Amino acid sequence: MRETTLAIIKPEAVKRGLAGDILKRIQGAGLALRALRLVGLSRAQAEAFYDVHRERPFYRSLCEYMISGPVVVAALEGEGAIARWRELMGATDPAQAAPGTIRKDFGIDIEQNAVHGSDSAATAAREVPFFFSALDLVG
Ligand code: GDP
């Protein structure tokens, strides 16, 4: 099934100049870019985006981190794009992530783990429109 999912290249990866490498992996895996933007999230936007984690102990720290610098947000499309992007990303904790995954290669720790990806169709349906309107999606 063709799907669209949300990718975020997180602040520490953008700061370290890794956005190009990560986009290259995305396109090399056959996922199509339908929209792409550099965003400086406000605190309110970060809190709203991660609202599902509001009760988790790391919520405040996560929001603080996500506003610490610009992020690159992208809408990706392809066959099974949601699961395929999660596979390319690797496990949440870079120390546990499989070799060759983005988080293994570029993540620093369980919080500063380089990238975000929608974890289900329902999540993608909320997260893509959080950043992109229908008019922003090319193709
Ligand atoms: P994901 O779907 O793999 O991104 O993982 P989650 O949805 O569980 O968590 C969302 C984000 O919160 C992760 O990508 C990390 O940036 C951060 N995070 C998750 N677990 C922890 C944790 O135990 N401690 C801290 N500090 N951050 C975490």
Side-chain angles (χ1 to χ4, degrees), residues 33 64 92:
L33 283 175
E64 208 62 56
T92 306

Side-chain angles (χ1 to χ4, degrees), residues 29-133:
L31 291 168
L33 283 175
R34 294 198 60 202
L36 182 67
R37 192 148 62 94
L38 189 67
V39 179
L41 285 171
S42 69
R43 185 177 299 276
Q45 286 167 330
E47 287 176 357
F49 184 78
Y50 279 117
D51 190 58
V52 62
H53 293 313
R54 195 169 284 275
E55 304 305 326
R56 309 279 284 274
F58 57 81
Y59 176 71
R60 282 181 68 88
S61 170
L62 174 61
C63 291
E64 208 62 56
Y65 162 52
M66 292 300 287
I67 65 172
S68 66
V71 297
V72 172
V73 292
L76 313 181
E77 191 193 287
E79 278 298 311
I82 295 168
R84 284 176 59 209
W85 171 228
R86 297 281 300 185
E87 277 166 33
L88 280 184
M89 286 169 46
T92 306
D93 183 354
Q96 311 293 327
T101 61
I102 291 169
R103 283 169 162 173
K104 183 62 150 192
D105 292 346
F106 300 137
I108 292 173
D109 58 33
I110 194 167
E111 182 171 271
Q112 298 183 72
N113 57 3
V115 283
H116 166 86
S118 308
D119 63 5
S120 68
T123 307
R126 182 181 85 81
E127 291 184 347
V128 173
F130 188 94
F131 288 103
F132 300 112
S133 74

Side-chain angles (χ1 to χ4, degrees), residues 3-22:
E3 294 173 328
T4 303
T5 190
L6 185 79
I8 304 179
I9 305 175
K10 295 183 178 183
E12 103 285 357
V14 174
K15 273 184 196 150
R16 289 185 295 145
L18 297 171
D21 290 300
I22 293 171

